[in-house]
Every structure is written in C-alpha cells, then in structure tokens.
Amino acid sequence: MFVRTILAMSLGCLFAGTAFATATTAEQPLKPKVVTNTAVEDPINPLAIGSASSAQDTQITPQEQQDLNKASQTLQNLQQSEDNTADIGTAPASAAVATSSATAPTSPAAKASWTLDGLNNASWFDNIGKGQFPVYARTQVMLNNSHASPGAIDGTSGKNTLKALATFQQMNGLQPTGTLTKQTWDALVAKQGNRPAFVEYTITDADLKGPYAPSIPHDYALQAKMKGLYYTRVTEMLGEKFHMDEDFLKKLNPKATFKKAGEKIIVTNIRNELPEDIHLIVAHKGAKQLYLFNSRNQMIASFPATIGSSDTPSPEGTYKVTGVAPNPWYSYSPSNFVQGKNLKPLSLPPGPNGPVGNIWIGLSKKSFGIHGTPNPSAISKTASHGCIRLTNWDANDLGKKVRSGVTVKFLQ
C-alpha cells in the first residue's frame, strides 16, 4: 500500500525540486532528469490548482523574454500567412492560370498507385486538390524527415499536413502558405535526397511476440488491474513504429496477414530524431501546434498537438521543462475529474495505450506536462485535460532531446 501511495504522487510534486532551482542560470544539464517508476496526473481543471502553484512561478531572464517575443512575432506572421481554406495541393493562382486542361489532376492521380514504386515515384502536379493520393503520402514522409511533423501519416490532405507544410516553408525561407507548391515540393525532394520515402519491411518474431493486451477497457478501474496498457495488435504497434495511421498501413498492404514472421510489408522510411539545440518550445493553442526554436531563435521543428479544450483549458504563461518520465504510471484522482463510476484514486500501469501514452515531459506548473496519447490519429482534432498531447512518437522524439530548464510558452 505504501508503494502504491508513492506511485500515486503527482509528477509535478516530484519534479518541483529538480532542475528548477537552476532555471535562470546559463548552464543547464544536457538532458533532463529522468524519473522512473513514478505516476503522473493529467488534470481536468487547471484553474483549481493555479493558486497552489503560484509560489513556483517561472522566472524568465531578459534574454529569454526577448527570444520569446521574437518567436511570438514569427508565429504571428506564420498564422497570418497560412491559407487555411486552401486545398493543400492547389497551385497558387498565378500558376493555376497557366495550367492547361491537358494537365488536369485526374491524369497524374490516375497514373499514381499505392505500390512501393508508385509511392516513391509520386510527383507533384498542378491543382492536386483535396483527397488521399500517393503524392500526399510521399509529401508527409518528407515533411516528417524535415522535422515538420504531419502527425499520423495517412496520404490525405488536411489541416495537419497544411500546418506541417507551412512550418517547412518557414524553416526553409519559403512563403509559409501551407500550400504544396512546385517550389515547396522541389525543396522537400532536395532535403530527402536519394532516400526513398517508403521501404519494404519484414515482420519479425519480436514484432509478433509483443507483449500485447487482448483489449483496453474504457473503465479506469479495469485498466488499473492490468499488467500493462500494451498495444492490442501488431498493426497498431507497426503504425506507431512507422508514424502511420493504422488504417493507412492496412490500405498499403491489403494482402498482408500481419501474423507471420518473414511477411513483407510496405512502410514509411522515417526519422526518429530531432536537432540537439532545443532552446524554446511554444504551444500555440489556436494553431494546435507545438513549435521548437533553437538558441539562434530559428524554428527547427513542429508537431500537431492537442492543447487543452474550452472546458479544460491549458495554462497560460511561461514555464520550464523539469524532467522526463518514460513509461510512467498514471495517477487517476476523482478530485480532478470523474471517469465513469470511479470515485476512488487509481494507479494505471504504463504502456502506449495509457492516458498519457508512454512518456511524460514535466513542466514547472504542477501536474502539467507534454505527453503521448493512445489515439495518434486524433491529435489536434480532439481535446485534452489541459496538457499538451502529441503522438507517442513525436513525444518520445522530444523527450530524448529536450533538456531541463528549456522554456515553454503557451500562446493563444
């Protein structure tokens, strides 16, 4: 019982004394403190704990404030430049006027296929329009590899792809419209180099072994009795491993059983690392994006994010990263919110299907953090309990490179 009590402590409390005392100094640890075998809370009512954490308000140096102001202006300009009503692949008006009927989108789209060669040879064409096309699948992989995450790769145009395109354009000196122009396509291809966007992967015995859970019950009381909140099937695991929407993985491999070692499937050829110099993180609530800046105030990466909701808003202001907890236990407390009929505190075991995914990046505001999710394809499309929710793979990428003392700013 004593061990469970310790596990039920809030991560915010555990982190309060780590790295925070040095937050305003020039020298910071290269990597944040890693806390293991601990529990985290995902609060439902951030206003209820605001007064409790007021004594720990983050101190920001004049230089950090100047960097914040520059980053905020960059993002304000970015938001004003994006065309949120555009078909993602539509060429600019000037180019569209010059397009003849011979280059109608049906011709290139019809020639493209969902085979390995078709995906890797998919090319840009005028007025692609909205939909699910191999050209978008290749685009999403190239965006991912350029640190402009489109979230779960599904080959479909949409807001997450538009935001990723706008970030890529911003980072590479192009007009950040979010439109897949020929100039943007050429820049993506140049960045990707000779590396194919999709590759053949052989399913292994380890892939099939798991561990896997038969299912994940909705009720937290039942989850608390499980050994781990594991993946429930091979396709779910492979989808997260390759940053893919699970249904899209199945679409690319209609004949695969996903039950045999040695079976070959088509998957993305993605990166799993971020730049080292993460100096500032901005959580933009309106854009539903998390932006990373380096010490030279250059945007270096972005992720689609779920940041609070109208009923459970995320905090306002500026905070610091205080630590990282991989595979955390999740501490449920009915004083924060009531799930089902659960009126007693519960400790939920670790796993990718846990409420905070398989990683927690703590902030200097008690019980708030950046974390993963059991539903990657819903990122930026649903609400959270006030924290910053990313796909498990994006959260893990960030957790590997972020360091204690990095500033996190919430913007409207």
Side-chain angles (χ1 to χ4, degrees):
M1 181 60 70
F2 176 75
V3 173
R4 284 292 180 180
T5 301
I6 294 298
L7 288 174
M9 293 174 65
S10 165
L11 183 66
C13 295
L14 292 174
F15 281 161
T18 64
F20 186 77
T22 60
T24 58
T25 61
E27 291 293 325
Q28 296 292 340
L30 179 61
K31 294 183 178 180
K33 180 179 179 65
V34 176
V35 179
T36 59
N37 198 32
T38 188
V40 301
E41 286 185 17
D42 190 8
I44 192 70
N45 185 5
L47 299 180
I49 64 170
S51 59
S53 60
S54 60
Q56 298 182 17
D57 286 343
T58 303
Q59 299 299 312
I60 301 298
T61 66
Q63 182 60 52
E64 287 174 330
Q65 187 59 56
Q66 184 178 344
D67 291 344
L68 278 171
N69 292 341
K70 289 181 180 178
S72 297
Q73 186 61 52
T74 296
L75 292 178
Q76 182 179 351
N77 295 338
L78 176 62
Q79 301 309 310
Q80 292 174 347
S81 299
E82 289 176 359
D83 182 2
N84 288 300
T85 65
D87 287 350
I88 308 305
T90 300
S94 58
V97 171
T99 301
S100 68
S101 59
T103 59
T106 54
S107 178
K111 292 180 180 178
S113 67
W114 297 106
T115 64
L116 186 60
D117 287 341
L119 288 161
N120 285 326
N121 293 318
S123 298
W124 182 93
F125 54 91
D126 279 337
N127 301 315
I128 303 169
K130 293 181 179 179
Q132 189 178 47
F133 303 125
V135 66
Y136 286 137
R138 187 181 175 193
T139 296
Q140 289 174 331
V141 174
M142 293 190 292
L143 286 168
N144 178 288
N145 291 341
S146 297
H147 308 299
S149 173
I153 294 168
D154 59 5
T156 304
S157 60
K159 285 295 179 68
N160 285 348
T161 301
L162 184 150
K163 296 291 181 182
L165 281 166
T167 300
F168 174 83
Q169 291 162 336
Q170 176 71 36
M171 293 190 298
N172 290 276
L174 304 173
Q175 181 65 24
T177 61
T179 300
L180 182 57
T181 63
K182 181 63 162 61
Q183 184 182 29
T184 303
W185 174 264
D186 290 343
L188 281 166
V189 171
K191 287 270 185 185
Q192 182 77 3
N194 295 325
R195 185 182 183 188
F198 288 83
V199 294
E200 192 174 70
Y201 175 79
T202 303
I203 294 176
T204 68
D205 287 323
D207 292 332
L208 301 178
K209 183 178 180 180
Y212 293 102
S215 64
I216 304 295
H218 176 72
D219 193 317
Y220 278 4
L222 296 178
Q223 290 187 21
K225 296 177 181 180
M226 298 177 68
K227 184 177 181 181
L229 298 176
Y230 307 124
Y231 294 119
T232 60
R233 51 200 175 274
V234 175
T235 50
E236 182 186 26
M237 180 277 293
L238 290 173
E240 293 214 359
K241 181 175 182 176
F242 294 105
H243 305 189
M244 299 173 72
D245 173 79
E246 187 178 357
D247 288 339
F248 184 58
L249 173 67
K250 295 176 182 177
K251 177 184 176 71
L252 293 188
N253 301 280
K255 296 182 180 180
T257 66
F258 299 100
K259 296 179 180 179
K260 304 178 198 173
E263 191 171 61
K264 297 184 183 301
I265 57 174
I266 297 172
V267 298
T268 59
N269 190 16
I270 39 80
R271 55 106 187 137
N272 281 287
E273 81 293 327
L274 286 172
E276 295 285 349
D277 184 17
I278 301 174
H279 176 68
L280 168 65
I281 300 173
V282 178
H284 198 298
K285 300 179 187 180
K288 297 181 180 180
Q289 287 277 111
L290 199 70
Y291 298 98
L292 308 186
F293 291 81
N294 64 16
S295 57
R296 297 180 299 282
N297 215 56
Q298 298 168 327
M299 188 187 297
I300 56 174
S302 74
F303 312 112
T306 296
I307 310 172
S309 69
S310 57
D311 293 331
T312 59
S314 56
E316 297 180 358
T318 306
Y319 304 92
K320 297 279 188 176
V321 171
T322 55
V324 174
N327 296 312
W329 285 74
Y330 176 80
S331 177
Y332 164 75
S333 173
S335 63
N336 285 331
F337 70 101
V338 177
Q339 196 259 3
K341 298 180 180 180
N342 295 307
L343 302 179
K344 295 181 180 180
L346 296 167
S347 290
L348 277 58
N353 273 313
V356 294
N358 54 16
I359 195 164
W360 174 272
I361 302 170
L363 302 182
S364 55
K365 185 172 181 66
K366 179 183 175 182
S367 295
F368 279 86
I370 304 169
H371 62 80
T373 178
N375 300 302
S377 293
I379 286 296
S380 87
K381 303 170 187 177
T382 56
S384 76
H385 290 165
C387 293
I388 303 169
R389 184 183 298 166
L390 308 176
T391 64
N392 276 336
W393 56 83
D394 285 340
N396 277 283
D397 281 357
L398 181 58
K400 292 173 185 175
K401 294 295 178 71
V402 72
R403 54 187 174 80
S404 297
V406 166
T407 302
V408 180
K409 171 70 174 179
F410 287 84
L411 286 181
Q412 294 297 329

